Amino acid sequence: MKVALVAKFRNGALVALLRERGWNQEALARATGTSATQVSLWMQMRKVPKSPEVRARIERGTGMLFEDLFPPELAALEKHPLPKEIAVIREMTVPQLREALSREIALPSPEETLIAQEPYALALEAISKHLS
C-alpha cells in the first residue's frame, strides 16, 4: 500500500504559545487585537508584523517579546515562502508502517531550518529517513 507522511510548516514559537495557553488562533487574535486571518498568516510564516503598533499589541497580549515570537530570520521567508506542506510517499506494508510510527521523527532544529538554503529540504530528508 502507499503511505504518505505530510509535514506542514508553522511558526514554532506561536504553536508553542497556543499549546501552553490552551488557545486557538482566534484567542490569539483577540489577545492581540487583530484578525484570525492575520494570525493564520503569522502561523504559516507568510507574514511578519511590521507595524510598531501591532508589535506592541502582540507583546501586551502575549506577555512575550516580539523577537521571541518572530525571530528576524522569519522576514526572509516572506520573500521566499516555504511550501504550505511537503509529502513523502512510500510503498509500505502494514508491519513496516507500524514500525515507522513507533520511532520518533527527528526534524532539524529551528536554527538549522532557518539558516538552510532550502529549509524544507532538511524536513523532507528527515521524513524520508523516518519512512525508510
Side-chain angles (χ1 to χ4, degrees):
M1 75 177 161
K2 288 187 188 252
V3 175
L5 180 60
V6 179
K8 294 183 179 188
F9 295 95
R10 298 291 181 259
N11 178 325
L14 291 179
V15 169
L17 174 74
L18 296 183
R19 285 186 179 167
E20 288 167 9
R21 299 193 182 176
W23 289 0
N24 59 23
Q25 290 182 18
E26 289 197 15
L28 180 58
R30 282 190 303 276
T32 58
T34 190
S35 69
T37 301
Q38 194 63 42
V39 169
S40 177
L41 292 171
W42 300 343
M43 296 292 293
Q44 295 173 39
M45 299 185 296
R46 300 256 180 236
K47 293 286 180 191
V48 175
K50 293 176 182 53
S51 157
E53 178 187 319
V54 173
R55 289 176 177 215
R57 287 196 325 249
I58 290 169
E59 287 187 344
R60 279 194 307 273
T62 63
M64 296 181 69
L65 293 174
F66 179 82
E67 292 77 18
D68 291 341
L69 296 171
F70 297 92
E73 298 89 350
L74 284 180
L77 294 177
E78 283 187 291
K79 295 178 183 141
H80 306 286
L82 297 171
K84 287 190 176 186
E85 63 185 37
I86 58 172
V88 176
I89 301 172
R90 294 275 188 274
E91 251 331 296
M92 301 181 94
T93 64
V94 172
Q96 288 171 323
L97 176 61
R98 284 194 179 120
E99 198 276 324
L101 292 174
S102 70
R103 295 188 308 241
E104 187 173 318
I105 188 164
L107 291 174
S109 72
E111 293 80 20
E112 290 174 307
T113 301
L114 290 173
I115 292 169
Q117 181 73 14
E118 294 189 65
Y120 54 88
L122 292 171
L124 184 59
E125 182 181 329
I127 292 168
S128 293
K129 286 179 185 174
H130 183 74
L131 286 178
S132 51

